[in-house]
Amino acid sequence: MRAVSEQDIRASFVNCSKGEAKRLPLPRDLEERRWDDLDFLGWRDLSAPDRSYIVTELRGELTGITLRSPSQQRGFLHRSMCSVCLTTHPGSGVSLMTARKRGQAGRDGNSVGIYLCTDLDCSLYVRGRKTPAPGGRFEESLTVEQQIERTTNKLTAFLDLLSA
C-alpha cells in the first residue's frame, strides 16, 4: 500500500457521512508505518472499542470503511479464524465486524459482516512480520505473494458487498 495522508484517509470513507469521517480518530503513528508491508491500513478506535476502520486501495481508488464489532468477549479456549488472512486466534482475537452498506441501503440500516483479526494486522501475519499465538498460522503450500493476493482478493470481495 502507498503512504497516505490524514486528508486522503478522511476523504476515502464510503459508508459514513463527511462529518463522521472528519471526526473519527486516526492512528497516531502514520509517519512510522511500514507501508510496503500493508495491504490495508486498519486501526481500532481507542475511545470506542467496538469501532474499527479500514482504508485500502480498491481498483485504484482509496476506499475507507467504518466497522463495528460486538463488545461480547469469547472464552480463551475458543479459537476463531480470520476470513481475510486465515490466521486463527484464541479468545477475542477474531471478531465479527460489520459495515454499513453504501448509500441508501446503509441509511436504511443494511450492513454486511466479516470475521477479521481484532487487531487488523492481517497483512503482518501473512508476511510473517507479526506472530500470532501458537497454532495461529498453518503451513501453506502457497507462496507469501500468493497469500498476499488471496488476502487482498478476500478484502476486495467484502468491500464489493458494500455496494451490492
Side-chain angles (χ1 to χ4, degrees), residues 1 12 33 35 41 50 58 72 79 121 144 150-151:
M1 182 172 178
S12 72
R33 295 279 173 142
W35 295 98
L41 173 64
D50 65 331
L58 180 65
Q72 180 179 333
R79 293 187 73 82
D121 282 339
V144 172
R150 179 186 61 206
T151 299

Side-chain angles (χ1 to χ4, degrees), residues 10-57:
R10 292 192 187 282
S12 72
F13 283 89
V14 297
N15 69 339
C16 67
S17 70
K18 289 182 182 180
E20 288 172 313
K22 193 175 193 179
R23 292 186 301 273
L24 63 85
L26 296 180
R28 294 188 176 128
D29 63 346
L30 285 177
E31 300 294 323
E32 294 89 45
R33 295 279 173 142
R34 295 181 60 178
W35 295 98
D36 291 341
D37 288 341
L38 298 179
D39 303 310
F40 63 88
L41 173 64
W43 72 99
R44 303 211 39 185
D45 186 337
L46 298 177
S47 63
D50 65 331
R51 294 186 191 161
S52 301
Y53 311 95
I54 289 179
V55 174
T56 191
E57 293 179 61

Side-chain angles (χ1 to χ4, degrees), residues 40 52 54 65-70 74 80-86 93-100 111-118 120 122 150-162:
F40 63 88
S52 301
I54 289 179
I65 60 168
T66 61
L67 299 159
R68 295 251 179 182
S69 58
R74 292 188 172 145
S80 298
M81 180 181 281
C82 174
S83 298
V84 172
C85 68
L86 305 183
V94 171
S95 297
L96 174 62
M97 296 193 187
T98 59
R100 278 190 309 198
S111 62
V112 293
I114 190 169
Y115 286 95
L116 287 170
C117 294
T118 304
L120 299 170
C122 300
R150 179 186 61 206
T151 299
T152 56
N153 288 342
K154 286 181 174 284
L155 183 60
T156 297
F158 173 69
L159 294 173
D160 286 343
L161 292 175
L162 295 176

Side-chain angles (χ1 to χ4, degrees), residues 5-14 18 21-22 62-64:
S5 68
E6 177 181 337
Q7 183 178 4
D8 292 336
I9 292 170
R10 292 192 187 282
S12 72
F13 283 89
V14 297
K18 289 182 182 180
K22 193 175 193 179
L62 199 60
T63 302

